[in-house]
């Protein structure tokens, strides 16, 4: 029986890393892209190979560039002998009010968080159709696609566009047995306490940011990348074979009450912030 193959964009750390580890743990050979965090990428590659005994290929690319995403998807299938699962995860998060929007900022988000998703999906679907693979494509969106906050009009709007586009892609690809779904994380702790401590020195993010935010969430904690990875692994599994065109929210109930996340990150009157995305 041929090995199962999964390609994950932006997986050197954070949510993408959690996804890659979860899929490796479920028996997938892994190909993942990264933009700049080469040392993190090498460590993850070695961990997947040594801990799970799976093949792992890495691909350095700036997925904002036209054609970079499809090139990665095609290389992943070529190097690992096929493609069963694509996870579009690479992205940037930008909080900016309507009065502060810049054309460059908007274009960067659209290029990376929307156009790249669409064309990676197209590339993966074409590979699966040619090979007769009844595969799975999973888009990492955001709970912000569903719930509006101040200063996230372009980010939330782009994620909502991905969700809506994925529903149509699910219809387009259903005749081929290819499923398309979304996973929408809420507050996920993608930085370690050490990283937060370093950022706190520059007053960028409070060192107790995740602890304070966790107390505001109905399940009383923030998520971790493994939570998102588990959701992705489920949607990729045979147990989800009758699920397509839907969104699985992984947010601990964050958006149910409709409260702002905090006063300094997308909350009422929060200052403009730009955060590093989940797909470095």
């Amino acid at each position: 029986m041929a090995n199962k193959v999964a390609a994950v964009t932006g997986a050197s750390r954070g949510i993408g890393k959690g996804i890659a580890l979860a899929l490796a743990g479920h028996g997938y050979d892994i190909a993942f892209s990264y933009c700049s965090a080469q040392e993190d990428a090498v460590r993850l590659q070695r961990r997947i190979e040594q801990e799970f005994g799976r093949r792992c290929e890495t691909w350095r690319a700036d997925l904002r560039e036209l054609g970079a995403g499809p090139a990665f998807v095609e290389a992943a299938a070529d190097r690992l002998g096929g493609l069963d699962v694509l996870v579009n995860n690479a992205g940037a998060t930008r909080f900016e009010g309507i009065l502060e929007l810049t054309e460059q900022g908007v274009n960067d988000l659209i290029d990376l968080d929307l156009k790249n998703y669409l064309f990676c999906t197209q590339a993966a679907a074409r590979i699966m159709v040619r090979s007769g693979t009844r595969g799975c494509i999973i888009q990492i969106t955001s709970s912000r696609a569903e719930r509006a906050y101040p200063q996230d009009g372009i980010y939330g709007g782009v994620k909502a566009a991905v969700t809506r586009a994925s529903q149509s892609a699910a219809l387009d690809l259903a005749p081929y047995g290819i499923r398309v779904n979304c996973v929408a994380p809420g507050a996920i702790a993608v930085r370690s306490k050490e990283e937060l401590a370093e950022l706190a020195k520059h007053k960028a993010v409070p060192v107790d940011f995740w602890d304070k935010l966790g107390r505001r969430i109905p399940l009383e904690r923030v998520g971790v990348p493994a939570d998102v990875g588990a959701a992705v692994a489920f949607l990729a599994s045979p147990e989800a074979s009758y699920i397509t065109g839907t969104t699985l929210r992984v947010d601990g109930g964050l958006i149910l009450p409709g409260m702002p996340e905090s006063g300094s990150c997308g909350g009422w009157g929060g200052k403009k912030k730009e955060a590093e995305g989940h797909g470095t």
Side-chain angles (χ1 to χ4, degrees), residues 1-270:
M1 183 176 177
N3 290 338
K4 299 181 293 183
V5 175
V8 185
T9 65
S12 59
R13 55 189 180 188
I15 288 175
K17 177 180 177 180
I19 292 168
L21 289 172
L23 291 173
H26 281 76
Y28 285 86
D29 290 337
I30 303 294
F32 70 86
S33 72
Y34 68 97
C35 183
S36 58
Q38 185 173 13
E39 292 183 1
D40 292 326
V42 171
R43 280 194 291 268
L44 177 59
Q45 181 183 31
R46 290 173 179 167
R47 181 176 175 185
I48 288 172
E49 292 171 343
Q50 295 171 5
E51 186 173 327
F52 299 102
R54 309 310 310 176
R55 290 182 62 191
C56 184
E57 297 282 345
T58 66
W59 185 271
R60 186 170 188 169
D62 182 348
L63 299 184
R64 293 172 299 181
E65 297 177 357
L66 185 64
F72 158 68
V73 174
E74 291 161 8
D78 183 60
R79 293 181 182 182
L80 294 177
L83 185 66
D84 298 278
V85 174
L86 167 69
V87 184
N88 278 312
N89 167 75
T93 305
R94 189 182 184 97
F95 299 128
E96 208 166 45
I98 192 67
L99 297 176
E100 292 84 29
L101 285 182
T102 63
E103 185 173 359
Q104 185 62 54
V106 170
N107 286 340
D108 284 347
L109 276 182
I110 290 175
D111 287 345
L112 181 58
D113 290 23
L114 178 59
K115 289 170 62 177
N116 175 61
Y117 277 41
L118 293 174
F119 288 110
C120 283
T121 295
Q122 180 188 67
R126 286 175 172 173
I127 291 167
M128 293 173 185
V129 169
R130 286 198 304 266
S131 63
T133 301
R134 299 174 70 86
C136 179
I137 298 170
I138 299 170
Q139 323 283 26
I140 304 303
T141 60
S142 172
S143 60
R144 289 173 178 267
E146 185 176 345
R147 176 78 69 186
Y149 294 88
Q151 302 175 357
D152 77 344
I154 182 60
Y155 176 74
V158 164
K159 289 300 187 181
V162 171
T163 300
R164 175 60 184 79
S166 297
Q167 294 169 355
S168 289
L171 294 175
D172 293 339
L173 298 175
Y176 303 98
I178 299 169
R179 299 181 296 110
V180 184
N181 291 293
C182 298
V183 172
I188 306 297
V190 295
R191 294 188 183 277
S192 67
K193 290 185 177 180
E194 291 75 18
E195 288 174 315
L196 285 176
E198 185 63 30
L199 288 171
K201 294 178 182 178
H202 306 286
K203 298 183 179 180
V205 179
V207 70
D208 58 352
F209 175 79
W210 297 122
D211 294 331
K212 285 185 175 180
L213 179 53
R215 291 193 289 269
R216 300 170 60 83
I217 295 171
L219 287 184
E220 298 184 349
R221 71 170 178 90
V222 295
V224 295
D227 293 320
V228 183
V232 168
F234 165 69
L235 287 174
S237 73
E239 285 77 10
S241 64
Y242 200 54
I243 300 174
T244 195
T246 194
T247 297
L248 177 55
R249 197 169 70 240
V250 183
D251 73 341
L254 169 69
I255 72 170
L256 294 177
M259 82 289 194
E261 289 178 350
S262 73
S264 62
C265 185
W268 317 126

